[in-house]
Amino acid sequence: MNYNLAVIPGDGIGPEVVEQTLRVLDKIGEKYGHSFTYTKVLAGGCAIDATGGCLPQETIDICKKSDAVLLGAVGGWKWDTLPGNERPEMALLGLRKELGLFANLRPALLFEELAEACPLKAEIVEGGLDIVVVRELTGGIYFGEKGFKETDLGPAAYDVEQYAEEEVRRIAKVAFDMAMKRDKKVTSVDKANVLESSRLWRRVVAEVGKDYPEVELNNLYIDNAAMQMVRNPKQFDVIVTSNIFGDILSDEASMITGSIGMLPSASLATGNFGMYEPVHGSAPDIAGKDMANPMATILSAAMMLRYTFGLGQEADDIEAAVKKVLAEGYRTPDIAKPDETAIGTAKTGDLIVAAI
Ligand code: NAD
């Protein structure tokens, strides 16, 4: 089977980590008889330099025609002085909107081999951690009405949190479907004791949950969830939450795993289409130095195989190869201990390809 990927290497370390990821995909193709066709397109700072805009129409068109999108990272010092709405990072918002990416999946997986990188006490995370935060990505307060008005206390600004039942229903389905492939547990996080939008959220999630009798559903208020995440993170399997709560909670969950260079993510649309990218940015401080950890992007490609292409065995293979390389003691500088000799981006790619 041939799969068509739109590939956005982007800026900074983006091209370096994407290069290693494509090698890994090619190896998977060779092993299982698939072929991957890559169409490289511009977005971010490199697109500004080449075309004047961070998200050319050609990029959007090619992404829409592809089976999935793989993205490195965008942004960098060179473009930091541009006005907010002209900066490379606007390409990400544009891609989410144009591609209808309403569900953001961020697994927080603590590899046993990197347990020391976890800032929590060893007994709290003993045996590892495996959580997925499912964040609503195109609604809520970030996209609601916003503005300024005069009040009794003088000038004020406001942002509206609003959710339509349908927006909640579709993200809840993503979470329950995910739980069915995992430990069959969903925790819905809201602020239903205070917010009307959260009460609607809670009711609709419960309605969707009726279609998944095997999945256990719990509700937590966001303040309690943030606390539970550091007190007893092992209680979580799939967490589903709104755009703003998910923004904060997914960062908290990923911090527990220690290194940003290890964290993949997926943003999904209706159907199987998705955009896959590491959680980290373009890391301009280490760009071009063969120091970037490519594992987050490689693990993002594994998510793509699993969620968009339904290739679970192939995804397992990539994850096992990453674990093997870590178990053998190989580390890029971001995850190496002071007394360990670190390896580079390309060598990490070589080792993962060889392990597959
Ligand atoms: P960053 O994630 O790029 O870097 C933070 C720190 O983590 C840096 O010290 C960096 O060297 C390190 N780091 C990040 N990824 C690494 C990897 N794979 N291996 C080893 N070390 C790694 O965040 P930042 O410095 O806040 O942002 C830099 C640029 O990236 C900015 O322009 C920002 O807007 C952009 N950004 C882009 C995305 C994206 O494309 N999705 C996300 C976040 C930030």
Side-chain angles (χ1 to χ4, degrees):
M1 176 99 183
N2 181 54
Y3 300 97
N4 288 310
L5 302 191
V7 177
I8 306 178
D11 308 311
I13 61 170
E16 299 170 56
V17 292
V18 163
E19 185 188 341
Q20 299 311 316
T21 305
L22 300 187
R23 292 180 59 209
V24 168
L25 282 173
D26 286 340
K27 182 70 192 177
I28 287 288
E30 191 188 310
K31 181 169 170 184
Y32 287 95
H34 309 305
S35 63
F36 297 99
T37 306
Y38 310 120
T39 309
K40 289 198 180 167
V41 285
L42 296 173
C46 55
I48 294 175
D49 289 351
T51 69
C54 66
L55 185 58
Q57 187 59 41
E58 189 193 13
T59 297
I60 297 170
D61 294 343
I62 289 174
C63 288
K64 282 185 177 169
K65 275 192 237 140
S66 302
D67 298 320
V69 181
L70 180 72
L71 181 134
V74 297
W77 297 324
K78 185 177 173 191
W79 305 279
D80 274 354
T81 50
L82 290 175
N85 60 353
E86 291 174 24
R87 289 177 57 134
E89 296 79 359
M90 290 305 291
L92 300 174
L93 293 184
L95 283 164
R96 284 176 196 166
K97 188 165 157 272
E98 291 287 344
L99 303 177
L101 305 170
F102 69 90
N104 182 232
L105 268 52
R106 291 233 327 228
L109 190 66
L110 179 65
F111 289 92
E112 274 167 62
E113 294 78 7
L114 296 177
E116 309 111 68
C118 174
L120 300 181
K121 283 190 194 133
E123 61 263 31
I124 295 181
V125 291
E126 204 180 340
L129 259 192
D130 186 358
I131 302 170
V132 178
V133 179
V134 178
R135 166 188 169 196
E136 202 290 324
L137 204 56
T138 51
I141 196 164
Y142 294 172
F143 290 88
E145 187 196 329
K146 50 188 83 236
F148 300 91
K149 62 179 175 185
E150 276 304 320
T151 68
D152 294 347
L153 295 172
Y158 63 90
D159 302 89
V160 175
E161 170 84 347
Q162 172 178 310
Y163 269 109
E165 291 188 5
E166 187 47 36
E167 285 176 294
V168 181
R169 199 168 290 123
R170 65 183 184 179
I171 192 80
K173 279 187 189 151
V174 171
F176 281 102
D177 284 339
M178 176 112 333
M180 286 297 289
K181 296 180 196 145
R182 297 170 42 97
D183 288 344
K184 301 194 170 60
K185 206 175 158 191
V186 168
T187 306
S188 174
V189 173
D190 60 40
K191 191 69 183 164
N193 48 345
V194 182
L195 302 177
E196 206 57 66
S197 52
S198 278
R199 286 192 273 274
L200 179 143
W201 177 282
R202 193 175 276 219
R203 173 172 58 76
V204 175
V205 171
E207 283 167 18
V208 173
K210 287 189 189 134
D211 295 335
Y212 299 83
E214 288 171 64
V215 179
E216 179 191 336
L217 169 65
N218 293 300
N219 295 290
L220 281 185
Y221 298 136
I222 177 63
D223 42 346
N224 189 15
M227 190 174 74
Q228 295 297 332
M229 185 66 78
V230 287
R231 199 184 71 88
N232 177 19
K234 278 197 285 185
Q235 69 184 284
F236 297 118
D237 176 26
V238 176
I239 294 176
V240 62
T241 191
S242 63
N243 203 340
I244 187 167
F245 295 155
D247 193 1
I248 300 164
L249 214 52
S250 58
D251 263 18
E252 189 189 7
S254 37
M255 186 58 218
I256 294 173
T257 66
S259 172
I260 194 157
M262 298 294 305
L263 296 167
S265 82
S267 300
L268 305 179
T270 312
N272 291 329
F273 186 83
M275 182 166 91
Y276 296 84
E277 57 179 313
V279 165
H280 62 72
S282 59
D285 52 333
I286 56 166
K289 296 182 180 164
D290 192 38
M291 285 172 73
N293 186 346
M295 288 181 174
T297 314
I298 291 169
L299 292 169
S300 301
M303 290 182 81
M304 177 174 73
L305 297 182
R306 180 173 290 122
Y307 296 126
T308 291
F309 302 143
L311 302 174
Q313 178 61 50
E314 289 83 339
D316 288 349
D317 259 27
I318 294 181
E319 288 161 1
V322 167
K323 270 179 91 66
K324 180 168 185 279
V325 169
L326 291 173
E328 286 168 352
Y330 294 105
R331 309 272 189 269
T332 40
D334 56 311
I335 51 174
K337 285 188 271 175
D339 58 332
E340 282 173 341
T341 313
I343 58 166
T345 313
K347 171 84 175 163
T348 308
D350 291 346
L351 291 166
I352 294 172
V353 166
I356 291 168

